[in-house]
């Protein structure tokens, strides 16, 4: 395996290209947007396992330099607050703006000699016995040994692999984010997960002052980012302020946020299990194959892990079918297990009258889960990929 086409320049795309570069495979990234996705998306969390995977491609320090470390987490339901114990010896969570993360990963890829081409929207693929050719909307083409779909939850490559593949499912929540002028009573590096009367929100002190908050607002139907942005920010803020008017500090956070700084993240989705991760010379990586809800705190980290594991398999195994089957064998159980955990958490994010009434019963359960982090979070966050270990073909790939 000598060359690869990587479709998508978000998180998984440049990391895949960097990992392939380290494996001795030349990869070119093709991004549909005309430039980096400036201003699109809010913040995301990188778990310790995601940062460890970034270390494999020498991007961990550049990313943590632009991130806010979160060393303490608190769960709040009404006036009751519970410290969630962390994992001993595990580095803190890193919170970073998606746009800044894209910029750093693109810079790191270019510094390593990876070519990134913008304005290249994939429309079709033609496979032959010895290669694969991608055709783009502008009429141009590219040919390589394999094609990797890192093109997100609405993946074109996923549809080309399986025309009947299911798409993302709406979680019933819209995402919003901003920095409030209100200062909360919390130490720097503390993130609070709050279950208010109007729904779920989270917040943490911003290093530059103020409090950054994110809201998951219950909504009856999904909205594209374009649709959400077409609604005046003042209207959204009125809706949010009404929904969280009885919450402390939710009401103060929303009251002291400016409409021109409101970040509309859009609909929150989760991918159902994808039946086919690969076909002949095409394979999926990152959200195109597995996108747990944001409740997992693992979406970006899992995408980074998969990028590294895919590169190891292409490095060590003869032929795309064997490499792709082994890659899926290494990843599927892990990502689907984390997605299942996140789906359970998601059901608590818009409590409603019945769930609020059950909170006295649910709270002890949440406490028991929180008090056993080694069992619930240990296998997720302590996961480290051994880049130097040779990959052995999965039984089904032999």
């Amino acid at each position: 395996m000598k060359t690869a086409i990587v479709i998508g320049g978000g998180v998984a795309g440049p990391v895949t290209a960097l990992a392939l570069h380290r494996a001795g495979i030349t990869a070119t990234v093709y991004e549909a947007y005309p430039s980096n996705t400036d201003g699109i998306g809010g913040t995301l969390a990188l778990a310790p396992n995601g940062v460890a995977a970034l270390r494999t491609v020498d991007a961990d320090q550049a990313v943590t330099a632009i991130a806010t470390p979160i060393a303490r987490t608190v769960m709040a339901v009404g006036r009751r607050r519970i410290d969630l114990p962390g994992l001993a010896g595990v580095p803190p969570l890193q919170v970073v703006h998606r746009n800044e993360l894209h910029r750093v990963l693109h810079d790191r890829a270019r510094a390593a000699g990876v070519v990134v081409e913008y304005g290249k929207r994939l429309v079709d693929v033609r496979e032959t016995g010895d290669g694969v050719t991608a055709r783009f909307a502008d009429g141009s083409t590219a040919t390589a040994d394999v094609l990797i779909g890192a093109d997100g939850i609405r993946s074109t490559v996923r549809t080309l692999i399986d025309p009947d593949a299911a798409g993302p499912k709406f979680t019933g929540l819209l995402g919003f984010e901003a920095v409030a002028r209100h200062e909360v009573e919390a130490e720097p590096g503390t993130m609070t997960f709050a279950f208010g009367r109007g729904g779920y929100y989270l917040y943490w002190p911003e290093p530059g002052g103020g409090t950054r908050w994110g809201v998951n607002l219950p909504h009856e139907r999904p909205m594209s980012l374009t649709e959400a942005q077409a609604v005046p920010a003042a209207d959204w803020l009125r809706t949010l302020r009404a929904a969280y008017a009885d919450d402390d500090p939710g009401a103060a956070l929303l009251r002291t946020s400016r409409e021109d700084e409101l970040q509309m993240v859009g609909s929150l989705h989760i991918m159902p299990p994808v039946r086919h991760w690969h076909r002949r010379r095409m394979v999926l990586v990152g959200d195109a194959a597995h996108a747990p809800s944001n409740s997992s705190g693992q979406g970006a980290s899992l995408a980074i892990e998969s990028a590294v594991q895919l590169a190891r398999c292409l490095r060590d195994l003869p032929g795309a079918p064997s490499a792709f089957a082994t890659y899926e064998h290494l990843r599927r159980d892990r990502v689907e297990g984390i997605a299942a955990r996140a789906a359970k958490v998601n059901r608590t994010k818009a409590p409603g009258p019945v769930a609020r009434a059950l909170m006295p019963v649910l709270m002890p359960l949440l406490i028991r889960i929180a008090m056993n982090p080694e069992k619930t979070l240990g296998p997720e966050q302590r996961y480290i990929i051994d880049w130097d270990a040779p990959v052995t073909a999965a039984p089904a790939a032999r």
Side-chain angles (χ1 to χ4, degrees):
M1 207 66 57
K2 296 181 179 180
T3 58
I5 294 166
V6 179
I7 304 296
V11 174
V15 176
T16 299
L18 280 166
L20 290 171
H21 175 78
R22 184 173 178 185
I25 299 168
T26 300
T28 301
V29 178
Y30 295 88
E31 166 58 49
Y33 283 97
S35 64
N36 275 357
T37 53
D38 293 336
I40 294 179
T43 55
L44 56 81
L46 285 174
N49 50 290
V51 176
L54 283 175
R55 194 174 304 126
T56 303
V57 295
D58 195 26
D60 57 315
Q61 293 184 14
V63 170
T64 55
I66 60 168
T68 300
I70 301 295
R72 178 187 177 213
T73 54
V74 175
M75 183 169 60
V77 179
R79 296 184 178 276
R80 189 171 182 184
R81 282 165 167 73
I82 303 166
D83 265 286
L84 303 180
L87 296 170
V90 172
L93 191 75
Q94 300 288 335
V95 178
V96 61
H97 196 283
R98 183 181 297 274
N99 186 56
E100 286 295 293
L101 178 60
H102 289 179
R103 179 184 59 78
V104 166
L105 293 177
H106 279 239
D107 288 349
R108 177 72 192 90
R110 281 191 291 265
V114 173
V115 174
V116 180
E117 295 200 20
Y118 297 99
K120 298 292 183 180
R121 185 172 299 279
L122 181 72
V123 293
D124 198 13
V125 167
R126 181 172 58 84
E127 295 181 84
T128 64
D130 57 359
V132 57
T133 297
R135 183 168 63 84
F136 302 101
D138 63 2
S140 63
T141 61
T143 299
D145 294 325
V146 293
L147 183 143
I148 299 165
D151 49 346
I153 60 171
R154 292 180 177 82
S155 170
T156 298
V157 179
R158 185 175 63 238
T159 302
L160 291 171
I161 288 174
D162 178 9
D164 297 322
K169 291 186 176 180
F170 180 46
T171 61
L173 302 166
L174 301 181
F176 298 86
E177 186 177 308
V179 176
R181 271 57 184 173
H182 178 73
E183 303 283 351
V184 294
E185 295 181 4
E187 296 177 1
T190 300
M191 180 181 287
T192 301
F193 302 97
F195 294 83
R197 292 178 60 83
Y200 164 85
Y201 62 103
L202 61 97
Y203 57 89
W204 65 91
E206 187 77 343
T211 305
R212 184 172 289 276
W213 56 264
V215 160
N216 290 168
L217 180 73
H219 202 260
E220 69 278 3
R221 68 175 185 88
M223 297 182 75
S224 69
L225 190 58
T226 300
E227 284 182 287
Q229 290 177 334
V231 177
D235 291 353
W236 282 127
L237 264 182
R238 274 195 294 271
T239 299
L240 292 168
R241 285 168 178 162
Y244 294 90
D246 297 329
D247 289 322
D248 180 20
L253 293 175
L254 288 157
R255 187 177 62 252
T256 59
S257 297
R258 289 168 39 179
E259 60 188 62
D260 62 330
E261 295 180 351
L262 181 67
Q263 181 77 52
M264 291 164 280
V265 180
S267 301
L268 304 181
H269 292 85
I270 186 171
M271 275 299 300
V274 174
R275 292 182 303 173
H276 304 292
W277 285 26
H278 55 90
R279 190 193 73 185
R280 294 196 290 272
R281 292 181 176 270
M282 294 189 291
V283 67
L284 303 174
V285 70
D287 285 357
H290 50 76
S293 79
N294 63 328
S295 305
S296 71
Q298 283 282 353
S301 295
L302 292 178
I304 294 164
E305 287 180 2
S306 289
V308 172
Q309 290 287 39
L310 176 59
R312 290 180 66 232
C313 292
L314 286 168
R315 176 194 68 188
D316 292 349
L317 299 175
S322 176
F324 293 165
T326 301
Y327 153 71
E328 181 179 349
H329 175 77
L330 289 172
R331 299 300 296 159
R332 186 180 280 275
D333 286 351
R334 174 169 169 79
V335 300
E336 290 185 358
I338 291 173
R341 175 184 68 78
K344 292 178 183 177
V345 174
N346 233 47
R347 288 193 284 272
T348 71
K349 281 193 168 184
V354 174
R356 281 201 302 272
L358 290 174
M359 269 300 168
V361 177
L362 292 174
M363 201 64 179
L365 174 61
L366 293 172
I367 293 172
R368 285 199 298 273
I369 293 173
M371 292 305 174
N372 193 2
E374 284 294 344
K375 181 178 179 181
T376 56
L377 299 178
E380 295 180 13
Q381 296 190 11
R382 294 187 185 279
Y383 183 87
I384 295 178
I385 298 168
D386 185 351
W387 173 264
D388 295 322
V391 178
T392 302
R398 290 172 184 161

